[in-house]
C-alpha cells in the first residue's frame, strides 16, 4: 500500500506533452549520450544469465541451477544446486578455422550457423560476450542490435568481436528491421534483458510482432525487466512521470515498470505461448550505508508454436 501511494503521488505531476514527444523522438540521442559518458563501465557482464536461462549455453556447467518452488510468485525462495564450474569435454576450445569456413559462400551473415541468438538492446555487450565466452560451438551466431550507434561501436571494439560469431547493428526495433542481417524464421533465441522497459508502451507489441516474424517455430524469447513497485520506480519524484508507470530519468532515458499480466499480453497477443512468468523479488542490503533495497523484476519465457510457418 505504501509503494502504491508513493507511485500515485509521483504521478500527480507529469512531464509536459512537448517534453514527452522530445524523449520519444530523440531516444537514440539520449542513449548515445549515455553510452558516450559511461562507455562500458556502467553495466557488468551478466553471468547470471546461464542460471536463469541455461538454454543460452546448453553445454556450460559453470552456473548454479535455480530450482524454483511450486509457487511461481515467490522465486526468492529458490535454492541453488551445486555446479561443476566447467564446460563439458567437447566444448573447451573454439575451432576458429571451422568458424571461418562457415562464413565462406554465405548469402547472409550466419546463414550456415546452426544456432542463432539475437540480443535486442545489446548496450555495450554485457549479455553478448558472456554468451560467446562460454559457448565454443563454431555453429553459434550471436546477433545484437541497439538504438544507440555509440553502444554498437563499443560492442565492435571488444576483443571477442573479431571471431566472426557476432554481428552488431543499429536498429530501432519499434520501426524498421530492414538492416537486420538475418532472414525471417531464422532465430532460435531472442533475449530482451532490461530493454523493453526503455520503449514506449504503445510500441511494445510491435516489437513482439517483429520478433515473432524472425523467429523459428519452436524458438524462445527470454525476458527479464523491471517489475511494478521496484525500488527504482519508488525513487522517481514528481515531474518525472510520462504516463502511468512510465518515467524519464535525469539523463533523458526512460523506464517502464511491468506487471506479469502486461508481459503475458504483449507476447501472447502476437502468437507466442507463455512458458514462464515469475516475479523475482530480492532484498539487497548495503551494509556500509545501512540501506535495505527491495528489488522487483519480472522474468518470463515465450515460445513460437511449432505449427507456425518459418
Amino acid at each position: 500500500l505504501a509503494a502504491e501511494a508513493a507511485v500515485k503521488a509521483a504521478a500527480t505531476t507529469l512531464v509536459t506533452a512537448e517534453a514527452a514527444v522530445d524523449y520519444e523522438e530523440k531516444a537514440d540521442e539520449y542513449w548515445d549520450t549515455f553510452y558516450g559518458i559511461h562507455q562500458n563501465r556502467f553495466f557488468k557482464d551478466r553471468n547470471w544469465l546461464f542460471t536463469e536461462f541455461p538454454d543460452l549455453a546448453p553445454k556450460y556447467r559453470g552456473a548454479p541451477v535455480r530450482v524454483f518452488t511450486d509457487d511461481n510468485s515467490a522465486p526468492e525462495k529458490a535454492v541453488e544446486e551445486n555446479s561443476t564450474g566447467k564446460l563439458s569435454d567437447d566444448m573447451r576450445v573454439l575451432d576458429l578455422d571451422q568458424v571461418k569456413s562457415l562464413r565462406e559462400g554465405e548469402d547472409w551473415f550466419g546463414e550456415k550457423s546452426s544456432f542463432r541468438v539475437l540480443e535486442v538492446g545489446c548496450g555495450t555487450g554485457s549479455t553478448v560476450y558472456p554468451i560467446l565466452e562460454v559457448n565454443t560451438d563454431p555453429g553459434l551466431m550471436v546477433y545484437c542490435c541497439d538504438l544507440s550507434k555509440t553502444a554498437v561501436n563499443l560492442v565492435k571494439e571488444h576483443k571477442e568481436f573479431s571471431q566472426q560469431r557476432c554481428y552488431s547493428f543499429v536498429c530501432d526495433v519499434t520501426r524498421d528491421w530492414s538492416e537486420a542481417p538475418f532472414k525471417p524464421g531464422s532465430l532460435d533465441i531472442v533475449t530482451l534483458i532490461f530493454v523493453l522497459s526503455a520503449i514506449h508502451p504503445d510500441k511494445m507489441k510491435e516489437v513482439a510482432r517483429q520478433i515473432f516474424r524472425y523467429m523459428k517455430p519452436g524458438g524462445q524469447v527470454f525476458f527479464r525487466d523491471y517489475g511494478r513497485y521496484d525500488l527504482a520506480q519508488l525513487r522517481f519524484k514528481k515531474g518525472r512521470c510520462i504516463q502511468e508507470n512510465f518515467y524519464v530519468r535525469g539523463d533523458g532515458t526512460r523506464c517502464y515498470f511491468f506487471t506479469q499480466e502486461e508481459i503475458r499480453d504483449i507476447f501472447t497477443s502476437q502468437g507466442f505461448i507463455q512458458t514462464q512468468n515469475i516475479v523475482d523479488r530480492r532484498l539487497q542490503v548495503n551494509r556500509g550505508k545501512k540501506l535495505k533495497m527491495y528489488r522487483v523484476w519480472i522474468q518470463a519465457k515465450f515460445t513460437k508454436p511449432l505449427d507456425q510457418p518459418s
Side-chain angles (χ1 to χ4, degrees), residues 134-283:
V134 304
N135 280 283
T136 55
D137 181 355
L140 171 70
M141 173 57 66
V142 180
Y143 303 104
C144 55
C145 66
D146 202 281
L147 181 64
S148 166
K149 294 179 182 178
T150 303
V152 169
N153 287 334
L154 287 169
V155 169
K156 293 178 178 179
E157 293 172 3
H158 195 283
K159 59 183 175 62
E160 300 286 343
F161 187 77
S162 62
Q163 63 181 221
Q164 294 189 296
R165 294 194 305 158
C166 182
Y167 187 105
S168 78
F169 60 103
V170 177
C171 181
D172 181 349
V173 295
T174 69
R175 296 179 182 176
D176 181 16
W177 288 54
S178 62
E179 295 301 314
F182 42 80
K183 301 298 182 182
S186 65
L187 300 174
D188 294 277
I189 289 177
V190 175
T191 64
L192 288 161
I193 310 296
F194 294 100
V195 61
L196 200 62
S197 55
I199 292 172
H200 194 286
D202 292 347
K203 298 182 177 182
M204 292 177 182
K205 287 186 177 180
E206 172 61 17
V207 176
R209 186 187 72 82
Q210 292 282 14
I211 291 172
F212 190 89
R213 178 188 174 210
Y214 283 98
M215 181 161 280
K216 291 179 181 178
Q220 298 183 87
V221 175
F222 295 155
F223 172 92
R224 190 171 173 88
D225 218 319
Y226 298 104
R228 190 68 47 84
Y229 307 130
D230 177 63
L231 172 69
Q233 181 176 18
L234 302 184
R235 283 179 169 174
F236 280 108
K237 306 301 182 184
K238 292 181 180 179
R240 287 294 171 188
C241 186
I242 298 172
Q243 63 184 63
E244 190 174 8
N245 301 304
F246 191 44
Y247 304 82
V248 61
R249 303 182 182 94
D251 59 8
T253 63
R254 299 168 301 170
C255 187
Y256 189 84
F257 296 86
F258 296 97
T259 64
Q260 290 172 283
E261 292 74 21
E262 287 171 339
I263 292 303
R264 180 177 62 246
D265 179 60
I266 288 169
F267 288 94
T268 59
S269 68
Q270 304 308 307
F272 286 100
I273 297 171
Q274 178 178 284
T275 57
Q276 183 190 65
N277 189 336
I278 61 173
V279 178
D280 189 351
R281 295 182 176 87
R282 305 287 181 97
L283 171 61

Side-chain angles (χ1 to χ4, degrees), residues 52-98:
E52 306 298 345
F53 304 119
D55 287 347
L56 287 171
K59 295 187 178 181
Y60 180 53
R61 302 292 180 265
V65 178
R66 284 283 291 277
V67 181
F68 291 108
T69 64
D70 291 335
D71 180 5
N72 268 353
S73 67
E76 68 272 15
K77 297 178 182 178
V79 297
E80 293 185 346
E81 293 179 347
N82 292 329
S83 62
T84 63
K86 299 178 181 179
L87 294 170
S88 60
D89 290 340
D90 61 337
M91 294 296 291
R92 291 182 183 277
V93 179
L94 173 64
D95 187 338
L96 291 174
D97 290 335
Q98 189 173 350

Side-chain angles (χ1 to χ4, degrees), residues 21-122:
V21 171
D22 177 77
Y23 295 133
E24 174 65 21
E25 294 182 347
K26 297 180 180 178
D28 58 336
E29 297 178 25
Y30 286 113
W31 281 109
D32 274 337
T33 300
F34 174 88
Y35 287 113
I37 294 171
H38 297 287
Q39 298 290 302
N40 60 358
R41 298 183 298 270
F42 191 83
F43 298 106
K44 295 181 180 179
D45 286 349
R46 295 161 172 167
N47 292 303
W48 51 264
L49 280 169
F50 312 115
T51 295
E52 306 298 345
F53 304 119
D55 287 347
L56 287 171
K59 295 187 178 181
Y60 180 53
R61 302 292 180 265
V65 178
R66 284 283 291 277
V67 181
F68 291 108
T69 64
D70 291 335
D71 180 5
N72 268 353
S73 67
E76 68 272 15
K77 297 178 182 178
V79 297
E80 293 185 346
E81 293 179 347
N82 292 329
S83 62
T84 63
K86 299 178 181 179
L87 294 170
S88 60
D89 290 340
D90 61 337
M91 294 296 291
R92 291 182 183 277
V93 179
L94 173 64
D95 187 338
L96 291 174
D97 290 335
Q98 189 173 350
V99 175
K100 185 178 179 180
S101 69
L102 287 173
R103 299 288 79 82
E104 295 175 355
E106 289 184 324
D107 290 330
W108 47 278
F109 199 83
E111 180 185 13
K112 295 182 180 178
S113 295
S114 57
F115 191 73
R116 304 184 193 95
V117 177
L118 168 66
E119 184 189 12
V120 176
C122 61

